[in-house]
Amino acid sequence: MLTVIVFLPLVAAAALALVRVSDRTARWAWVAATVADLALVTALCVGYETPADGGLAYEVQARWIPSVNSSYHVGVDGLSLPLVALTAIVFCACAVYSLREDRRPRQLAALFLALQATCLGLFVAQDLILFFLFFDLSIVGMYAAIAGWGHGEQRGRSALQFFLYTFLGSLALLLGFIGLYLAADPHTFDIPELVAAAPLADSPVAGGFVLAALLVGLAIKTPTVPFHTWLPPAHTDASAIGSAVLAAVLLKMGTYGFVRIAMPAMPDAWQGAAWIVLAVGVVSVLYGALVALAQTDLKRMIAYTSINHMGYVLVAVGAAGLVGSGTAARELAVTGAVTQMVSHGLLTGALFLLAGVLHQRTGSYAMGEYGGLARPAPVLAGLFAVAAFGSLGIPALSGFVAEFQVFAGSIGATAWAAIALPGILLTAALFLRALQRVFTGETRGRSVGFADVRAVQAGPVIGLLLLSLAVGVAPWPLLDVITPATSLVVELVSR
């Protein structure tokens, strides 16, 4: 079933690329493919039962490259299933949002369906080569999305910067994967086998170098300070759906790599680097929020909040490596980290789709050029306010559940994690400032005559926000899936 979920979008992409159909047919075929994939993922979630002893559900393994002991190995657990579901939801939302897209819709649909396949493939991959393959292909897909369907004169430059930066990260990641492969006896790229063996446990120097390569590769993709410079221009010049997918799904590839590969496969090295990861997380939280607060461009502001929110994840996984602290607190921190990945995907995806409405109407993200927008566009203002309040951690939305767990668990592991707490206050300030500047006061500037958000744009955003509300009000179904897997990660890191 996982194979069908991964490759269904790719088959649809190939069909759209090869068969000339009308623009209207291409748009609806894109929606149909994503809805079908989402239905399969929903069935996957309904039938999911937590595997015993750290196993995998819906596991498939077949011969692929036997000469290096690499196989087509896929499966899901509590770490990957929420991200598979998030990917299917976000891409479906983007397909519906693009029903009025008039810039080469057939090619756009084919590109995003192919990109969806790479994202799903990465989250189900249980082999390092397979993981790396999907990781690199996602870079190519996003490069094409920014360069081909972005806006602004600098989109080509932003796309190139994104590609070179993240491709450099993938090379560091490959170096780390080769190090793990060579250290394993027998040599293998199979992730469960590497996690069980922890091949560099007795080699602190080699383990340090391999973990450093993995950390650099994953930190660039996340991104964290100081590897974040590609993110603001990429978001600024990407289309609305490009930014939504980049923030909601592609950034999670880095944070997912921490909990799937780096932490459980290299427990000793992770323990040794835990304070560094924690410190980078704290800096990312505060730096991202402070720089976001200084932005006058709405989209760049949202982009910098992604650095801030991904910093929370690093704080949590760093705290999880402090073995001398309480196990329950570290498990709570990692559970919060995975919940934060899901919450950020839903809320920031919604924010970028809403920001895209501004650019489609007026061609500008400059907050100073708007004012009193809530009067001519009350639906847009209401949806943006809900997404903003969710991102700043208001109770009843998913952001609160995620951040509460991250900080409760991290501070339970070490009081130093409390240094990141002002990041929540700064996030609240920057979102309230944006709401005040763009939506309140006298209607002026580009807000005059602004048409409210259309139903085809509001629908996907409402869907994302309702899911965030569901997680915020009744988080237990999601946490019941995540917690067993995060407990196992903490147990493996504590070896």
Side-chain angles (χ1 to χ4, degrees):
M1 189 170 185
L2 282 180
T3 299
V4 175
I5 288 172
V6 171
F7 290 102
L8 173 63
L10 192 61
V11 171
L16 282 172
L18 297 174
V19 179
R20 287 188 174 276
V21 295
S22 68
D23 290 349
R24 177 182 172 82
T25 301
R27 295 188 195 100
W28 282 105
W30 182 9
V31 172
T34 57
V35 169
D37 215 39
L38 180 57
L40 290 173
V41 171
T42 303
L44 192 80
C45 294
V46 171
Y48 176 79
E49 294 182 0
T50 300
D53 301 326
L56 297 164
Y58 305 103
E59 187 174 15
V60 175
Q61 189 165 16
R63 280 168 60 87
W64 185 32
I65 314 176
S67 57
V68 293
N69 203 11
S70 177
S71 62
Y72 173 77
H73 191 184
V74 296
V76 291
D77 60 6
L79 299 177
S80 52
L81 185 61
L83 296 176
V84 169
L86 174 69
T87 302
I89 291 166
V90 169
F91 274 93
C92 185
C94 289
V96 175
Y97 184 92
S98 302
L99 277 173
R100 296 179 67 89
E101 176 64 56
D102 56 2
R103 292 185 298 168
R104 293 163 288 152
R106 183 172 66 87
Q107 292 88 340
L108 179 66
L111 174 63
F112 271 76
L113 284 167
L115 185 58
Q116 180 177 351
T118 66
C119 297
L120 291 168
L122 181 137
F123 292 129
V124 303
Q126 298 297 328
D127 182 277
L128 292 180
I129 295 295
L130 202 58
F131 183 98
F132 181 78
L133 174 71
F134 288 122
F135 189 94
D136 260 16
L137 289 177
S138 73
I139 297 172
V140 176
M142 184 49 65
Y143 166 81
I146 298 172
W149 282 267
H151 42 63
E153 297 179 355
Q154 300 295 319
R155 66 177 184 275
R157 180 180 177 180
S158 298
L160 183 62
Q161 184 179 5
F162 160 80
F163 183 89
L164 293 177
Y165 225 123
T166 52
F167 190 66
L168 179 65
S170 77
L171 294 181
L173 198 61
L174 179 61
L175 189 62
F177 286 173
I178 292 173
L180 278 173
Y181 168 78
L182 294 175
D185 185 20
H187 299 326
T188 181
F189 284 106
D190 191 78
I191 294 174
E193 288 184 24
L194 290 168
V195 168
L200 288 163
D202 298 324
S203 305
V205 176
F209 279 112
V210 171
L211 181 63
L214 294 180
L215 288 179
V216 169
L218 296 172
I220 290 175
K221 191 76 169 183
T222 296
T224 67
V225 176
F227 305 111
H228 64 285
T229 53
W230 61 267
L231 186 70
H235 272 304
T236 302
D237 293 326
S239 63
I241 60 170
S243 286
V245 167
L246 178 59
V249 180
L250 265 67
L251 301 192
K252 309 305 176 297
M253 293 179 177
T255 51
Y256 174 70
F258 289 128
V259 294
R260 169 59 66 197
I261 302 169
M263 294 175 69
M266 308 188 66
D268 294 85
W270 188 268
Q271 291 171 29
W275 282 108
I276 298 173
V277 175
L278 180 64
V280 172
V282 170
V283 171
S284 297
V285 168
L286 299 178
Y287 174 84
L290 284 169
V291 178
L293 187 62
Q295 298 303 307
T296 57
D297 182 295
L298 184 65
K299 210 175 183 191
R300 286 181 72 89
M301 185 204 78
I302 300 171
Y304 275 106
T305 63
S306 291
I307 299 170
N308 160 266
H309 282 90
M310 291 301 96
Y312 295 146
V313 176
L314 256 73
V315 169
V317 297
L322 304 176
V323 174
S325 54
T327 301
R330 293 187 290 127
E331 290 177 358
L332 182 62
V334 180
T335 301
V338 179
T339 309
Q340 174 71 350
M341 295 182 210
V342 176
S343 173
H344 179 265
L346 296 173
L347 293 168
T348 306
L351 284 170
F352 275 122
L353 291 181
L354 291 171
V357 175
L358 296 184
H359 194 274
Q360 288 175 10
R361 299 282 197 284
T362 68
S364 174
Y365 296 116
M367 288 187 278
E369 297 178 4
Y370 296 89
L373 189 57
R375 187 178 297 275
V379 177
L380 173 64
L383 293 176
F384 194 93
V386 173
F389 281 115
S391 289
L392 62 86
I394 287 293
L397 290 166
S398 57
F400 173 78
V401 178
E403 292 175 18
F404 176 80
Q405 292 181 106
V406 165
F407 280 106
S410 301
I411 296 174
T414 170
W416 288 103
I419 298 174
L421 271 174
I424 296 178
L425 185 62
L426 292 169
T427 306
L430 68 93
F431 273 117
L432 292 176
R433 172 175 166 271
L435 286 169
Q436 184 182 29
R437 295 187 66 181
V438 176
F439 294 103
T440 64
E442 183 182 351
T443 302
R444 62 179 181 80
R446 295 180 184 270
S447 298
V448 177
F450 193 99
D452 206 349
V453 61
R454 298 187 181 94
V456 75
Q457 296 166 324
V461 174
I462 291 172
L464 294 174
L465 296 181
L466 285 176
L467 286 170
S468 175
L469 179 66
V471 174
V473 174
W476 59 265
L478 176 63
L479 299 182
D480 282 353
V481 172
I482 294 173
T483 303
T486 54
S487 298
L488 181 64
V489 169
V490 171
E491 180 183 332
L492 291 167
V493 170
S494 303
R495 283 179 286 180

